[in-house]
Amino acid sequence: MDTAPLPPFAPAAPELALLTAFWEAWQALTTLGEAELRVRHDLDLRSFIALAYVQGGTDQPAVLARELGVPRYEVSRVLHALEARGAVTRRQTQPDARRVTVTVTPRGAALWEAALETVREVAGPPLATLGPRVHALTHDLRALAHATRPLPRPSSRQETE
């Protein structure tokens, strides 16, 4: 299989090389992928990924926020938009009314399946160029993400001024 040559930019620091390569791949895959998700399904990438997690059994907003690495209020916004579309339901859990359980509706499952097919159409061909290495890359990226979770978060600029 012929592949295009890699660009000549090669940062000296391995950390910068990784971040640059990740950025380039992220931009290439998500620019087209998110555009197609919006056009075909009126869905942004974050909502698609959140729906995937809920579809896969993550039913607590706090757990979803932790898994996605985003603030709870952002997950709340995403879930609110999905609920307004009839894709998920949120219900208070008894006996603790503060706890909410999220479930995918049949409409949400159909939306997720259709959106997943779109993602496969967009991301499949470039990922296929990696052959079986795509599985190792996916594993390594997940391991890297997991390894960064215990690192301290930088404080906001406002807190340091």
Side-chain angles (χ1 to χ4, degrees):
M1 177 181 292
D2 290 333
T3 59
L6 295 176
F9 177 68
E15 298 83 2
L16 180 56
L18 174 71
L19 290 174
T20 302
F22 180 77
W23 176 260
E24 291 171 357
W26 173 257
Q27 291 293 43
L29 288 171
T30 61
T31 298
L32 181 57
E34 183 148 11
E36 289 297 317
L37 283 171
R38 286 185 187 278
V39 167
R40 295 184 193 184
H41 312 287
D42 191 26
L43 200 62
D44 65 11
L45 187 58
R46 185 172 281 178
S47 296
F48 168 71
I49 292 172
L51 189 57
Y53 272 84
V54 176
Q55 175 81 6
T58 303
D59 65 353
Q60 301 296 311
V63 174
L64 184 57
R66 189 171 53 250
E67 290 296 317
L68 295 177
V70 298
R72 287 185 186 185
Y73 70 84
E74 184 63 32
V75 166
S76 182
R77 280 190 222 161
V78 168
L79 292 175
H80 178 75
L82 289 170
E83 187 175 37
R85 293 187 63 180
V88 299
T89 58
R90 294 187 288 180
R91 300 205 194 298
Q92 292 178 330
T93 304
Q94 298 300 328
D96 185 356
R98 295 172 297 172
R99 190 174 181 151
V100 174
T101 301
V102 182
T103 55
V104 175
T105 65
R107 180 184 230 173
L111 173 63
W112 183 78
E113 285 290 337
L116 178 60
E117 188 56 37
T118 296
V119 168
R120 286 179 173 147
E121 287 175 27
V122 171
L127 291 177
T129 66
L130 297 175
R133 296 180 313 170
V134 73
H135 300 294
L137 176 61
T138 301
H139 177 270
D140 290 347
L141 286 172
R142 291 190 70 121
L144 180 60
H146 183 72
T148 63
R149 288 196 177 154
L151 297 176
R153 300 288 182 219
S155 59
S156 73
R157 189 169 185 184
Q158 293 173 349
E159 292 173 353
T160 60
E161 292 180 350

